[in-house]
Amino acid sequence: MKFTSFRRPFGMVCCLAISMLLLATAVRSAEPVTLNFSNAEIDAVARTMASITGFNVVVDPRVKGTLTLVTEKPVSRTAAMNQFLAALRLQGFTMVESAGLYKVVPEADAKLQSSAVTVSDNAASGADLASGNQISTQIFRLNFEAANNLVAVLRPLISPNNTINANPGNNSLVITDYSDNLRRLARIIAAMDVANATGVDVIALKHAIAVDLAPLVLRLIESSAGATVGGDTSFKTTLIAEPRSNTLILRAANPARVALVRSLIDKLDQPASGNGAAGNIYVVYLKNADATKLAVTLRAAMTGQTPAAAGAPAAGAATAPPASVSATGGQVQADAATNSLIITAPEPQYRQLRAVIDRLDGRRAQVLVESLIVEVNADRAAEFGVQWQGPLGQSGDGVIGLLGTNFGAAGKNIINQALGAGTVAPGTGFNFGAAQRVNGVYVLGFLANFLESSGSGNVLSTPNLLTLDNEEAKIVIGENVPFVTGSYTSNNTSGNSVNPFTTVERKDVGLTLKVRPQINENGTVKLVIYQETSSVKAGTETAANGPTTSKRTIESTVLVDDGSIVVLGGLLQDKYSGNDGKVPGLGDVPLFGNLFKTDSRSRNKTNLMVFLRPVVVRDSQTSDRLSMDRYELMRSGLQAAQPAPSSLAPINEAPLLPALPAGRPAAVAAPKAQP
């Protein structure tokens, strides 16, 4: 059968309807069809193909244009659909399937609407892919090659509207493209995903020391061509020294590289012909440990003495004291200027010492201790009082006697208020009163005082400390206050004081935090903590015997998981005080008794808590991220505190921290500095 879509000038719409009816008959009879569409609208051709195949086909409104689709001889309906898809592909359109619905959409949107996803463990197979002109997504799991390396190779082979991405987590590639191209990419990936690196070789040394030989061989290998392949570190020659067995662990890109490394090691692993002009004196440059402290430890191990007996250095000493000689004749001295050890010993003993040094001279982890010291205060006070005075009698201008009540002091005292003639300030709160004076003599007075006050405050301190494992760190934030410790004065013959002087001792007052962290093998951190919060008591700053301080201290040893928060403890204080004054008897009369009494009450609540959060820092990258995070925090704070522009006061800029230098790691968004 032959079905033709006529050109538009000859009644294309009616002819297409007839063609669709005839094609439906052909579908029912499963006969081959012959296509002959010339400059037909894509939407009309799509409806015709839906009738041929029996699929539900919809066309995106953005798909516009015409196409020509001609077959010279009858073809199956599957072949007809493939030719339709090929014609769409040439014009930048394609058809995707989703839940049984076939949609004709622009090629650029197909990757977002296609539901066909396949996972391939065998990259060479593509049997489970869709037809060649349909877009689908396939996940290729790689066994040997790094996924990031293949992205640059495969990207030019994929159409611009489609995507390729690498997932380093499981070393896989996610590619969205036409199925025929996915099959071609599968064959390329299979050819490249092969085992190139060798296994692990263990090379035992006979004469040389492993930790000395490994860096030398690596420098020689890496300087030669082909030490790395394509910049991928998985092909980089890896050579690790194992001090315990004095062996080298080798993994290279190929057998040729292994042979090269082995030949270098064989040439360098030769018996030592003495130590040259130095004889039996060896110099060991340390990488991480402190030479002065390590020398003391080694001398103690050689002589069997305690570190103190072996000559521990005095505080602030530049070098260790003279070395102790062991029973075997070896001795160890430290050179603090170069952080190196000078060992005088026979070669067998030097090898033993070197093995110990290599174990002790490792990079020590650090601990960032984030502390949070929170103090919250709430104060409330209330006062009520009535005072009055009246004359018992009057003779002329004089007062015979007085009757009344008088409470309080200073501005709250009715007598002071009356006699002060306005020079005495009234008390705080609401005051109501009246007074009469006759010839300078108090005659009548009345004073009522009402007061209710409340206050609250909080103090938040967040000192942070970064210190080496098992090293104490200390931070002090406060003032250095003088305290009188003694005084001396001598008198001359005339009784006058001469040469007076006072001795003082200055002490830190404020916040003090001392921490010694110790990292355990199971990921926990042991913290030996001393925390002190002190302040000078108000009103004692100029006391003759020196100021009085209030102090709160915590001294404890705790065990915390890395990154967890622990509360050390604190002070929870709730204090109440009350002061009542009244006239006996009259002050107890209900309601009327308020005229004969005064009442003052106060309540103070203080909550002080201390929180700690240790974070283990094991490498320089983590240390850099933490440092840059704090740096950016301070820099953003300075930027936010810039003064508002003003032409009248032309100082419109405040100092700013410089931007991070190029090449430094960016700050992380999330641990916050505070726990």
Side-chain angles (χ1 to χ4, degrees):
M1 296 181 64
K2 182 175 180 179
F3 303 93
T4 305
S5 63
F6 300 95
R7 301 180 185 274
R8 285 172 288 180
F10 299 96
M12 171 184 160
V13 175
C14 295
C15 293
L16 282 176
I18 297 172
S19 298
M20 292 174 65
L21 179 60
L22 295 174
L23 287 171
T25 304
V27 170
R28 288 193 294 269
S29 61
E31 295 181 1
V33 296
T34 301
L35 305 179
N36 187 13
F37 295 97
S38 178
N39 292 327
E41 295 289 343
I42 295 177
D43 180 78
V45 178
R47 291 197 298 270
T48 302
M49 300 308 299
S51 299
I52 292 176
T53 59
F55 297 155
N56 294 323
V57 180
V58 296
V59 181
D60 191 291
R62 293 171 295 175
V63 177
K64 302 292 183 181
T66 62
L67 58 80
T68 298
L69 185 59
V70 178
T71 59
E72 298 297 333
K73 57 183 179 180
V75 296
S76 66
R77 62 179 184 177
T78 302
M81 177 59 76
N82 286 336
Q83 291 194 24
F84 174 60
L85 293 176
L88 289 176
R89 181 175 177 180
L90 293 175
Q91 299 200 36
F93 305 118
T94 188
M95 187 165 65
V96 296
E97 185 269 337
S98 178
L101 181 65
Y102 291 81
K103 297 178 285 186
V104 180
V105 296
E107 184 184 88
D109 293 343
K111 58 180 176 291
L112 304 178
Q113 302 189 35
S114 176
S115 62
V117 178
T118 57
V119 180
S120 175
D121 290 322
N122 183 6
S125 69
D128 50 355
L129 292 174
S131 62
N133 289 301
Q134 280 189 269
I135 287 181
S136 60
T137 300
Q138 183 159 2
I139 301 173
F140 296 94
R141 293 174 177 169
L142 306 180
N143 298 318
F144 306 102
E145 180 61 75
N148 284 325
N149 288 350
L150 290 184
V151 170
V153 177
L154 301 177
R155 175 70 267 183
L157 306 178
I158 299 173
S159 59
N161 287 327
N162 294 318
T163 61
I164 176 173
N165 294 287
N167 180 12
N170 60 0
N171 196 36
S172 61
L173 291 171
V174 182
I175 305 177
T176 300
D177 203 0
Y178 289 98
S179 297
D180 56 355
N181 196 36
L182 286 177
R183 291 188 179 91
R184 180 171 68 112
L185 294 176
R187 292 192 295 271
I188 296 174
I189 293 172
M192 301 185 69
D193 185 29
V194 294
N196 289 320
T198 64
V200 176
D201 288 357
V202 179
I203 304 173
L205 300 180
K206 300 177 182 178
H207 308 287
I209 298 177
V211 292
D212 290 338
L213 191 59
L216 177 61
V217 174
L218 273 180
R219 283 198 299 269
L220 293 172
I221 294 299
E222 290 176 355
S223 62
S224 62
T228 59
V229 180
D232 179 16
T233 56
S234 64
F235 292 102
K236 187 175 182 179
T237 301
T238 303
L239 190 63
I240 302 174
E242 204 287 299
R244 185 182 62 84
S245 59
N246 196 39
T247 57
L248 296 174
I249 302 174
L250 171 65
R251 184 177 184 268
N254 48 61
R257 182 65 53 182
V258 173
L260 175 60
V261 175
R262 280 187 170 275
S263 65
L264 286 175
I265 294 175
D266 290 339
K267 292 178 180 179
L268 295 174
D269 186 23
Q270 300 296 326
S273 57
N275 194 22
N280 62 344
I281 302 177
Y282 302 86
V283 178
V284 180
Y285 294 95
L286 301 180
K287 302 171 185 174
N288 301 286
D290 182 82
T292 304
K293 295 181 180 179
L294 186 55
V296 175
T297 302
L298 292 175
R299 285 196 295 268
M302 294 168 62
T303 60
Q305 301 174 355
T306 61
T319 58
S324 302
V325 180
S326 69
T328 57
Q331 61 180 4
V332 180
Q333 180 62 289
D335 180 38
T338 59
N339 195 41
S340 59
L341 295 174
I342 303 172
I343 302 175
T344 304
E347 184 178 350
Q349 188 180 15
Y350 165 71
R351 287 179 175 273
Q352 293 178 346
L353 290 174
R354 186 59 188 270
V356 176
I357 293 171
D358 292 336
R359 290 195 174 192
L360 297 178
D361 189 28
R363 179 187 175 95
R364 296 170 63 185
Q366 302 180 93
V367 179
L368 173 68
V369 181
E370 300 175 331
S371 60
L372 195 65
I373 303 172
V374 187
E375 183 173 358
V376 180
N377 299 314
D379 302 330
R380 295 187 60 190
E383 296 182 11
F384 166 78
V386 176
Q387 305 174 69
W388 57 272
Q389 296 285 333
L392 288 177
Q394 186 174 359
S395 175
D397 292 334
V399 176
I400 298 176
L402 294 175
L403 176 66
T405 60
N406 185 37
F407 307 107
K412 300 180 181 180
N413 189 300
I414 190 173
I415 302 293
N416 292 343
Q417 289 288 329
L419 298 180
T423 61
V424 179
T428 56
F430 176 78
N431 294 277
F432 175 74
Q436 180 181 1
R437 299 182 59 179
V438 179
N439 294 330
V441 180
Y442 169 80
V443 176
L444 179 64
F446 169 80
L447 177 64
N449 174 256
F450 304 90
L451 170 65
E452 183 173 352
S453 64
S454 63
S456 62
N458 64 78
V459 179
L460 175 64
S461 300
T462 57
N464 295 339
L465 293 172
L466 180 64
T467 181
L468 283 174
D469 179 26
N470 212 25
E471 293 286 346
E472 183 182 281
K474 176 182 179 181
I475 185 172
V476 178
I477 304 173
E479 299 177 345
N480 195 255
V481 180
F483 291 83
V484 177
T485 58
S487 61
Y488 174 78
T489 302
S490 61
N491 296 328
N492 57 16
T493 55
S494 60
N496 297 324
S497 299
V498 294
N499 299 327
F501 68 89
T502 303
T503 59
V504 297
E505 178 184 2
R506 290 188 171 271
K507 296 182 179 180
D508 294 328
V509 175
L511 175 65
T512 301
L513 177 64
K514 292 191 289 186
V515 179
R516 180 189 294 273
Q518 179 180 323
I519 304 173
N520 299 327
E521 285 295 330
N522 57 0
T524 60
V525 181
K526 177 184 176 183
L527 299 175
V528 180
I529 306 157
Y530 175 81
Q531 189 271 327
E532 175 183 305
T533 303
S534 58
S535 61
V536 177
K537 193 174 182 180
T540 65
E541 296 86 349
T542 59
N545 295 328
T548 301
T549 60
S550 59
K551 184 168 66 174
R552 306 181 185 96
T553 64
I554 296 175
E555 190 169 359
S556 178
T557 301
V558 296
L559 197 64
V560 194
D561 289 334
D562 179 17
S564 299
I565 300 175
V566 63
V567 56
L568 294 184
L571 171 68
L572 303 178
Q573 179 177 301
D574 193 348
K575 182 174 66 174
Y576 169 83
S577 63
N579 186 15
D580 296 336
K582 63 181 179 180
V583 177
L586 294 177
D588 298 327
V589 177
L591 189 61
F592 180 74
N594 291 326
L595 298 176
F596 299 93
K597 67 179 179 180
T598 180
D599 191 1
S600 175
R601 301 179 183 182
S602 65
R603 185 175 181 180
N604 309 97
K605 298 178 68 175
T606 301
N607 295 336
L608 173 66
M609 300 296 289
V610 179
F611 302 88
L612 288 181
R613 177 175 177 259
V615 178
V616 178
V617 180
R618 298 188 181 275
D619 50 41
S620 59
Q621 290 80 8
T622 306
S623 178
D624 280 345
R625 285 196 297 268
L626 288 171
S627 300
M628 294 306 103
D629 177 66
R630 304 308 192 273
Y631 189 94
E632 285 296 334
L633 177 66
M634 296 302 298
R635 191 168 187 269
S636 61
L638 291 176
Q639 288 176 332
Q642 289 291 305
S646 173
S647 58
L648 299 178
I651 300 179
N652 298 323
E653 293 182 358
L656 273 178
L657 286 171
L660 287 174
R664 300 294 294 181
V668 291
K672 299 298 182 184
Q674 289 80 19

